Amino acid sequence: MRTALVIGTGLIGTSAALALTARGVQVHLADHDPEQARTAAALGAGTDAEPEGPVDLAVVAVPPAHVAATLAVLMRRGAARGYLDVASVKGGPRRELQALGLDAATLAAYIGTHPMSGREKSGPLAGTADLFEGRPWVLTPDRDTDTEVLNLALEVIAFCRAVPVVMDADAHDRAVALVSHMPHLVSNLVAARLEHAEETAVRLCGQGIRDVTRIAASEPEMWIDILSANPGPVADLLTDVAADLDETVRALRALQSADDDKRVGGERGVRDVLRRGNAGQVRVPGKHGAAPAVYESVVVLIDDQPGQLAKIFADAGRAGVNIEDVRIEHATGQQAGLMQLMVVPQSAPVLTAALRERGWSIRQ
């Protein structure tokens, strides 16, 4: 691939363009808002000048509702040898292209894809060339997809240092409803409880509520576009969640009962939902996409000042211990926090002793 046209210079389009440009591809940028394309160009993502002729690949990075129409315009004018989109839903765009009257030969030059990466921020200024590094990038070819187009898509994924995953389009849409779209709405529902909560209650927020509500900070308009393109699977999942919530509410009410049998039943119901949560959580892939591993936490009190993180990582390195994961819980009203260093169990005593020897305060 030597030339590409990126339509849509938001977070995903700009990030892909930055990665392609860094690998020597001549990237042309276009957006319904020319200022966005100029901003992306100024960041080094390519040029906002129109290509002189057909490019090797057109990358459509527009909201799901506009993917099919944008692709149809590009295909009818022969803008590229191959075409792909990066929308978060895959079944709808292909069906819409067929409904727009594009023949099988033309559709063979298109492949639907979805990079499973993003940020809470949007727009070209949020773009980064390493956004997709190590992340799954779904490809949804069908039996008519041209091999050359599939190879171009794989080349893009390689340039972006992502990991290709091949799926059926509708299976993909059900999967992202489960692991992305439904959790996003649930996060928002939890965060919405805080909107009018008393300030004294909100001040008690800890790492747990931060983890649950983090993705609720995303741009609402972007998510309206996403959810509008995949409403059925998301609604089906939320129906199941609602049924679980109803059962959990009944179990909690039973725990308030003066009747011993009802309390026992309520406890059984709450325990069941917690057990099912445990069983689901352990299926979430672990480090580098491998099976989840069991780590032990070494908790260290750190001051909120420059150099503390670098120092503790350096001390762990001197002890020959690899830090598998890190979590920080900031103290309320103090310039300090608790840093959880996740390590393999056999390394925990070694790290604890080494850090104590170097003057760190360890919390049990």
Side-chain angles (χ1 to χ4, degrees), residues 12-27:
I12 300 299
T14 299
S15 296
L18 286 166
L20 293 176
T21 299
R23 296 300 295 269
V25 179
Q26 182 181 345
V27 178

Side-chain angles (χ1 to χ4, degrees), residues 268-344:
R268 187 184 305 115
V270 173
R271 180 179 289 108
D272 180 63
V273 75
L274 295 174
R275 179 195 60 77
R276 289 167 56 206
N278 287 163
Q281 195 279 330
V282 297
R283 296 194 65 194
V284 176
K287 188 176 179 182
H288 306 312
V294 176
Y295 298 130
E296 193 164 326
S297 176
V298 175
V299 182
V300 187
L301 179 67
I302 60 170
D303 295 326
D304 188 5
Q305 60 184 14
Q308 289 289 287
L309 296 182
K311 184 179 178 183
I312 199 168
F313 289 144
D315 287 345
R318 292 188 191 98
V321 175
N322 185 52
I323 306 299
E324 306 290 343
D325 202 353
V326 177
R327 299 171 190 166
I328 300 177
E329 183 168 355
H330 302 280
T332 302
Q334 298 180 34
Q335 297 301 307
L338 294 176
M339 185 175 185
Q340 297 181 48
L341 304 174
M342 314 301 291
V343 298
V344 294

Side-chain angles (χ1 to χ4, degrees), residues 19-258:
L20 293 176
T21 299
R23 296 300 295 269
V25 179
Q26 182 181 345
V27 178
H28 297 267
L29 306 166
D31 196 287
H32 76 285
D33 180 356
E35 188 60 35
Q36 289 248 105
R38 284 193 288 271
T39 299
L43 294 170
T47 174
D48 60 343
E50 291 188 14
E52 295 180 358
V55 296
D56 293 327
L57 183 69
V59 178
V60 174
V62 301
H66 303 290
V67 166
T70 302
L71 282 166
V73 170
L74 293 171
M75 289 175 166
R76 283 171 176 151
R77 79 171 196 234
R81 287 193 295 128
Y83 307 83
L84 66 79
D85 76 282
V86 293
S88 59
V89 290
K90 297 273 66 82
R94 177 167 285 276
R95 286 188 287 271
E96 290 173 33
L97 282 171
Q98 292 169 337
L100 288 170
L102 295 169
D103 58 38
T106 302
L107 286 175
Y110 160 70
I111 183 170
T113 81
H114 178 203
M116 298 295 294
S117 185
R119 300 176 64 187
E120 289 77 41
K121 298 179 181 179
S122 59
L125 292 174
T128 172
D130 61 1
L131 181 69
F132 313 106
E133 188 166 345
R135 302 294 301 166
W137 191 314
V138 178
L139 298 150
T140 61
D142 63 18
R143 61 185 180 183
D144 298 320
T145 302
D146 192 287
T147 302
E148 181 187 18
V149 176
L150 176 58
N151 287 336
L152 284 169
L154 288 169
E155 195 171 359
V156 169
I157 294 171
F159 285 171
C160 292
R161 300 178 185 272
V163 181
V165 178
V166 177
M167 294 183 71
D168 170 77
D170 290 327
H172 162 274
D173 291 352
R174 292 191 296 272
V176 294
L178 174 65
V179 302
S180 176
H181 303 168
M182 179 272 291
H184 186 85
L185 280 175
V186 171
S187 175
N188 276 267
L189 291 171
V190 173
R193 299 303 94 206
L194 302 174
E195 183 180 12
H196 301 297
E198 293 183 4
E199 184 62 28
T200 52
V202 175
R203 286 174 60 84
L204 298 178
C205 284
Q207 195 58 43
I209 193 71
R210 292 190 184 98
D211 288 344
V212 171
T213 60
R214 178 184 62 81
I215 55 177
S218 298
E219 175 60 43
E221 291 304 317
M222 177 184 73
W223 272 93
I224 289 172
D225 288 333
I226 292 170
L227 294 168
S228 296
N230 200 29
V234 179
D236 291 342
L237 287 165
L238 284 177
T239 298
D240 293 339
V241 171
D244 283 345
L245 283 173
D246 286 341
E247 288 296 325
T248 304
V249 168
R250 280 192 284 271
L252 289 169
R253 297 298 185 199
L255 285 176
Q256 294 179 303
S257 175

